[in-house]
Amino acid sequence: MALAKILLCMDTDPQPSVFDSVVALDAGAGQLLRHGGVTPADVKNLIHGLMFTRGGDQLHHAAAIIGGSDVVAGEQLLQAAKQAFFGPVRVSVMLDSNGANTTAAAAVVCASRHLPLGPETIALVLGATGSVGQRVVRMLAREGADVRVASRRLTHAEAVCHRITAAVPGARVTPRSTTDTDKGDLLDAAHLVIATGAAGVNLLDSADLKNAKTLQVALDLNAVPPAGITGIAPTDKAVNKEGRICYGALAVGGLKMKIHKAAIRQLFESNDRILDADEIYNLGKLLADAK
Amino acid sequence: MALAKILLCMDTDPQPSVFDSVVALDAGAGQLLRHGGVTPADVKNLIHGLMFTRGGDQLHHAAAIIGGSDVVAGEQLLQAAKQAFFGPVRVSVMLDSNGANTTAAAAVVCASRHLPLGPETIALVLGATGSVGQRVVRMLAREGADVRVASRRLTHAEAVCHRITAAVPGARVTPRSTTDTDKGDLLDAAHLVIATGAAGVNLLDSADLKNAKTLQVALDLNAVPPAGITGIAPTDKAVNKEGRICYGALAVGGLKMKIHKAAIRQLFESNDRILDADEIYNLGKLLADAK
Amino acid sequence: MALAKILLCMDTDPQPSVFDSVVALDAGAGQLLRHGGVTPADVKNLIHGLMFTRGGDQLHHAAAIIGGSDVVAGEQLLQAAKQAFFGPVRVSVMLDSNGANTTAAAAVVCASRHLPLGPETIALVLGATGSVGQRVVRMLAREGADVRVASRRLTHAEAVCHRITAAVPGARVTPRSTTDTDKGDLLDAAHLVIATGAAGVNLLDSADLKNAKTLQVALDLNAVPPAGITGIAPTDKAVNKEGRICYGALAVGGLKMKIHKAAIRQLFESNDRILDADEIYNLGKLLADAK
């Protein structure tokens, strides 16, 4: 009898994510072991439960995902999981707190279809201190883009820049306060804007957009009215509006779901995958190319 | 491959109900996502996890149940679940805290087999402030009966009457204190008595019953000795004792289980069912008629 | 349709054991209902959820396991579970907090292959106040051996001796402090030593062993370097080293896993099994004989 595909769900929130669980089941996980309120101190024992129960050649039938609303807390669990491994005795792990990696990968891949991402690219990320926003910044920075990291509070934006610089050598990221800075300045010379703010909060309005002469691609990841970027509907998928290619949250969400499920399937292919920002972004590019 | 039937179990107690989980699995749920200590603030995120992971035509493959020892706390979760829906993007939900709706429906349906329920009916509900008791009162009130809502504390009985009156327009409910009122007064002219008190607590004894000249049907939902109503055994099923039809807890429990499982199955038939007192009582009547 | 084999997992730690869950699934449990932070007060309601949901002839399709890091806390849950039964209406339950019973059974069975256990046997258990250590002492005492119960703190060793004496009539157990007592004294005349201390803590070194002239069998249940007993590797399986038969943690672990899975399967064979130290040790002996 084949061993069940067991997925350990470690969530930093008190109630583990239902979203993540449904996607995992639909992607082929057979049994979920769901844990909420997980702290780094809990991780070793949980992960060892996967590592020491089956033979070494069966380790790929178990894996772990890390979820929750806070990707920084999730990163600490991932670190603890890696430290729990004994050489080749390990299991695959995906970090995707709040869908941060899969959603960010989908957004950046959508943008890259219309705009070559590289050192010439100037990008503005609004709401950049959220879990998704941080990962969008990181993926853009890895492509070499010049990224404006915008948040209401400058100190929060600075903290994100600090973390991204540590994770991505040579990252070009600049903290910006949306409270102290004119929207015109934020958008000046920018080619790409990705809004990843809270649900139902407008971050750019029609007047802001009118003056954004260099803007070629705009993505709004907010699905709840009012729009994060005025004029973009959740279902917009590569729609040309006044010369700019626009994507809404549901269009990005379709690709996000494909990436998410493919990532879950990868976890069970071998026992040594660590799926974080880079790996999930690469997976997103592969899936987009395959289409 | 068919999608798994996923049932989200939201429980207001710290440890989610094992009873509810076993019944759900036996009624066809394929995967349970069980959550304890759920508060209204948690519900939106949990329910959205079911709503936003699958296509609209697949929504009926997921559903939610609300459990726990306190039906009033459960009602708050149901309210929060309804508020989390976006128009047709929703899932079916059943409220059955402490088995309140399914047990009450079974009890009232059993009574209705022997006594037409309507404006002429005078009913006494003992232990009426518990989760099951409240629902028994509500279902009887909906049938138009004149219901005496009895509890040790009058203020608790009054609170229940207040809630029932709000839920059932025209409800005729009267709060009664079992501490201050003579049992003879409580039973005076009553046709039906349903005892839903705590396990192992006697609420009516032989002397009380002797004087209850008009009483035609008596149900005792307590399965733990001593009996809630002296002389009724848990297995009594429509047994005539001194001219009265009697039901014990296990006899009512058999029908309760049928209603409970049928309700779970209904949740997966479409994505727009809300199963609360009225719907589950109607389902109980249908099942009783079908026999 | 056959009813699912449902296993209720009651864990005294906040996060229920992943190890126990994986083993249970691999041993044939179909659905796990996992609960962390379980206290004795929670048990009745949880166990009743298994007892009162299916017919009496179906009770063996559900069972419970008790886990967590503290076997004494686990014993309290087992006691509460027994008190929740109503005569023949009950379910099978296994206590194996921290793998204490299955690991101890495997260790003592390994020792018994090389050394007849009985009144003539003098055994030293190091780290005897841990969950596994307590059970090793208990199983050796039950075989009639003279057991030295060694711990850093004498009071802890005394407490263990007190509990074992209550559980095993006629037990010969002596508390010893490893802080105040010379290792030579602890080992003097001993035939068997089993080290069950914390991971990565050395309890006996080469010099200690050199003087242990009567020692015939040595087991080290610590798998993390440095070894609990110097010179024993985790994979040692009945290896003769300087005239002593040695077992390491992984060798004992192989048998432990067989016992653990066989115990889970027994839970679903009938509804009246209580698997604690004695039963699991007997099962271990049966499995060893069958090989």
Side-chain angles (χ1 to χ4, degrees):
Chain A
M1 191 180 68
L3 291 179
K5 286 182 186 173
I6 294 176
L7 188 67
L8 167 62
C9 307
M10 300 189 291
D11 207 291
T12 56
D13 291 346
Q15 301 288 359
S17 168
V18 166
F19 188 104
D20 289 354
S21 294
V22 174
V23 175
L25 290 169
D26 287 351
Q31 294 276 356
L32 305 182
L33 303 180
R34 307 170 74 229
H35 293 255
V38 177
T39 65
D42 297 324
V43 171
K44 187 170 84 168
N45 204 33
L46 296 173
I47 287 283
H48 281 184
L50 299 182
M51 287 164 52
F52 297 131
T53 37
R54 293 164 161 185
D57 55 341
Q58 305 293 346
L59 284 168
H60 67 288
H61 292 301
I65 61 172
I66 296 167
S69 56
D70 179 355
V71 76
V72 175
E75 286 170 353
Q76 293 172 349
L77 297 195
L78 179 58
Q79 188 59 25
K82 290 178 185 173
Q83 290 169 353
F85 296 154
F86 282 91
V89 182
R90 54 195 292 153
V91 293
S92 291
V93 183
M94 171 167 71
L95 168 62
D96 197 32
S97 299
N98 215 27
N101 281 324
T102 50
T103 303
V108 177
V109 166
C110 284
S112 73
R113 287 171 175 162
H114 309 280
L115 185 71
L117 298 175
E120 306 301 311
T121 314
I122 298 176
L124 169 64
V125 181
L126 295 164
T129 55
S131 292
V132 174
Q134 291 184 42
R135 286 321 208 225
V136 167
V137 172
R138 182 162 158 178
M139 293 171 191
L140 290 170
R142 186 176 161 242
E143 293 285 22
D146 182 346
V147 191
R148 294 169 184 166
V149 178
S151 174
R152 272 171 298 185
R153 296 205 205 166
L154 188 63
T155 53
H156 291 189
E158 287 171 336
V160 169
C161 289
H162 175 76
R163 280 198 294 273
I164 305 278
T165 305
V168 182
R172 294 190 298 152
V173 289
T174 316
R176 293 291 182 98
S177 162
T178 56
T179 314
D180 304 337
T181 318
D182 185 75
K183 292 284 163 59
D185 282 352
L186 287 176
L187 284 164
D188 180 51
H191 310 105
L192 167 66
V193 61
I194 303 183
T196 68
V201 176
N202 182 261
L203 299 170
L204 284 183
D205 63 20
S206 308
D208 299 327
L209 291 167
K210 203 170 209 95
N211 297 318
K213 304 297 184 191
T214 54
L215 194 62
Q216 299 175 42
V217 179
L219 286 79
D220 181 7
L221 302 187
N222 164 28
V224 179
I229 300 176
T230 302
I232 301 188
T235 52
D236 283 346
K237 185 174 180 178
V239 177
N240 191 319
K241 296 192 173 184
E242 303 178 19
R244 291 176 201 119
I245 301 296
C246 295
Y247 280 84
L250 298 183
V252 173
L255 178 58
K256 172 242 159 47
M257 199 60 86
K258 282 178 197 159
I259 296 170
H260 194 157
K261 289 184 184 173
I264 295 287
R265 285 191 293 266
Q266 279 202 348
L267 293 175
F268 293 105
E269 288 171 3
S270 67
N271 73 315
D272 57 358
R273 303 286 172 92
I274 300 293
L275 303 186
D276 193 357
D278 291 353
E279 297 80 10
I280 293 173
Y281 179 49
N282 288 341
L283 177 60
K285 288 199 282 191
L286 273 173
L287 289 172
D289 290 347
K291 275 187 63 167
Chain B
M1 191 180 68
L3 291 180
K5 285 183 186 171
I6 294 176
L7 189 67
L8 168 63
C9 307
M10 299 189 292
D11 207 290
T12 55
D13 291 346
Q15 301 288 0
S17 168
V18 166
F19 188 104
D20 289 353
S21 294
V22 174
V23 176
L25 290 169
D26 287 350
Q31 294 275 355
L32 306 182
L33 303 180
R34 306 170 74 230
H35 293 256
V38 176
T39 65
D42 297 324
V43 170
K44 187 171 84 168
N45 203 33
L46 296 173
I47 288 282
H48 281 183
L50 299 182
M51 288 162 53
F52 297 131
T53 37
R54 293 163 161 186
D57 55 341
Q58 306 292 345
L59 283 169
H60 66 287
H61 293 301
I65 60 172
I66 295 168
S69 55
D70 179 356
V71 75
V72 176
E75 286 170 352
Q76 292 172 351
L77 297 195
L78 179 58
Q79 188 59 24
K82 290 178 186 172
Q83 289 169 353
F85 296 154
F86 283 91
V89 182
R90 55 195 293 153
V91 293
S92 290
V93 183
M94 172 167 70
L95 169 62
D96 197 31
S97 298
N98 215 27
N101 281 324
T102 51
T103 304
V108 177
V109 165
C110 284
S112 73
R113 287 171 176 162
H114 309 279
L115 186 71
L117 299 174
E120 306 301 311
T121 314
I122 298 177
L124 168 64
V125 181
L126 296 164
T129 54
S131 292
V132 174
Q134 291 185 43
R135 287 319 206 226
V136 167
V137 173
R138 181 162 160 177
M139 292 171 191
L140 289 170
R142 185 175 163 243
E143 292 286 21
D146 182 345
V147 191
R148 294 169 186 168
V149 178
S151 174
R152 272 171 297 186
R153 296 204 203 166
L154 187 64
T155 53
H156 291 189
E158 288 172 334
V160 168
C161 289
H162 175 76
R163 280 198 294 273
I164 304 280
T165 306
V168 182
R172 294 190 298 152
V173 289
T174 316
R176 293 290 182 99
S177 161
T178 55
T179 315
D180 304 335
T181 317
D182 184 77
K183 292 284 162 58
D185 283 352
L186 286 176
L187 282 163
D188 180 51
H191 310 105
L192 168 66
V193 62
I194 303 183
T196 69
V201 176
N202 182 262
L203 299 170
L204 284 184
D205 63 21
S206 309
D208 299 328
L209 291 167
K210 203 169 210 92
N211 297 319
K213 305 294 183 195
T214 53
L215 195 61
Q216 299 175 42
V217 179
L219 286 79
D220 181 8
L221 303 186
N222 165 28
V224 178
I229 299 176
T230 301
I232 301 188
T235 52
D236 283 345
K237 186 174 179 179
V239 177
N240 191 320
K241 298 192 173 183
E242 302 177 23
R244 290 176 202 120
I245 303 295
C246 296
Y247 281 85
L250 298 183
V252 173
L255 179 57
K256 172 244 162 39
M257 200 59 89
K258 282 179 197 156
I259 297 171
H260 195 157
K261 289 184 185 173
I264 295 287
R265 285 190 292 268
Q266 278 202 349
L267 293 175
F268 293 104
E269 287 171 3
S270 68
N271 73 315
D272 57 359
R273 302 285 172 93
I274 300 292
L275 302 186
D276 194 356
D278 291 352
E279 297 80 9
I280 292 174
Y281 179 49
N282 288 342
L283 178 60
K285 287 199 283 191
L286 273 174
L287 289 172
D289 290 346
K291 272 189 68 169
Chain C
M1 191 180 68
L3 291 179
K5 286 183 186 172
I6 295 177
L7 188 67
L8 168 62
C9 307
M10 300 190 290
D11 207 290
T12 55
D13 291 345
Q15 301 288 358
S17 167
V18 167
F19 189 104
D20 289 353
S21 294
V22 174
V23 175
L25 291 169
D26 287 351
Q31 294 276 356
L32 306 182
L33 304 180
R34 307 170 73 230
H35 292 256
V38 177
T39 66
D42 297 324
V43 169
K44 187 170 85 167
N45 203 34
L46 296 173
I47 288 282
H48 282 185
L50 299 182
M51 287 163 53
F52 297 131
T53 37
R54 292 163 162 186
D57 55 341
Q58 306 293 345
L59 283 169
H60 66 288
H61 293 301
I65 60 172
I66 295 167
S69 54
D70 179 356
V71 76
V72 176
E75 285 170 355
Q76 293 172 350
L77 298 195
L78 179 58
Q79 188 59 24
K82 290 178 186 172
Q83 290 170 353
F85 297 154
F86 282 92
V89 182
R90 54 194 293 152
V91 293
S92 291
V93 182
M94 171 168 70
L95 168 62
D96 196 32
S97 298
N98 214 27
N101 281 325
T102 50
T103 303
V108 178
V109 165
C110 284
S112 72
R113 287 171 175 163
H114 309 281
L115 186 69
L117 299 175
E120 306 301 309
T121 315
I122 298 176
L124 168 65
V125 180
L126 295 164
T129 55
S131 293
V132 174
Q134 292 185 42
R135 287 318 206 226
V136 168
V137 172
R138 182 163 159 177
M139 292 172 191
L140 290 170
R142 186 176 162 244
E143 292 285 23
D146 182 345
V147 191
R148 295 169 185 166
V149 178
S151 174
R152 272 171 300 187
R153 296 204 205 167
L154 187 64
T155 53
H156 291 190
E158 288 171 336
V160 168
C161 289
H162 175 75
R163 280 198 294 274
I164 304 278
T165 305
V168 182
R172 294 190 297 153
V173 290
T174 316
R176 294 291 182 98
S177 161
T178 55
T179 316
D180 304 336
T181 317
D182 184 76
K183 292 284 162 57
D185 283 353
L186 287 176
L187 282 164
D188 180 52
H191 310 105
L192 167 66
V193 61
I194 303 183
T196 68
V201 175
N202 183 262
L203 299 171
L204 284 183
D205 62 21
S206 309
D208 299 327
L209 290 168
K210 203 172 210 93
N211 297 320
K213 304 296 185 194
T214 54
L215 194 61
Q216 298 174 43
V217 179
L219 286 80
D220 182 7
L221 302 186
N222 163 28
V224 178
I229 299 177
T230 300
I232 300 187
T235 53
D236 283 346
K237 186 173 180 178
V239 177
N240 191 320
K241 297 191 172 182
E242 304 178 20
R244 290 176 203 119
I245 302 296
C246 295
Y247 281 84
L250 297 184
V252 173
L255 179 57
K256 172 240 159 44
M257 199 60 87
K258 280 178 198 159
I259 297 171
H260 195 156
K261 289 184 184 173
I264 295 286
R265 285 190 293 266
Q266 278 202 347
L267 293 175
F268 293 105
E269 287 171 3
S270 68
N271 73 316
D272 57 359
R273 303 285 173 94
I274 300 293
L275 302 186
D276 194 355
D278 291 352
E279 297 80 10
I280 292 173
Y281 178 50
N282 288 342
L283 178 61
K285 286 199 284 191
L286 273 174
L287 289 172
D289 291 345
K291 273 187 68 167

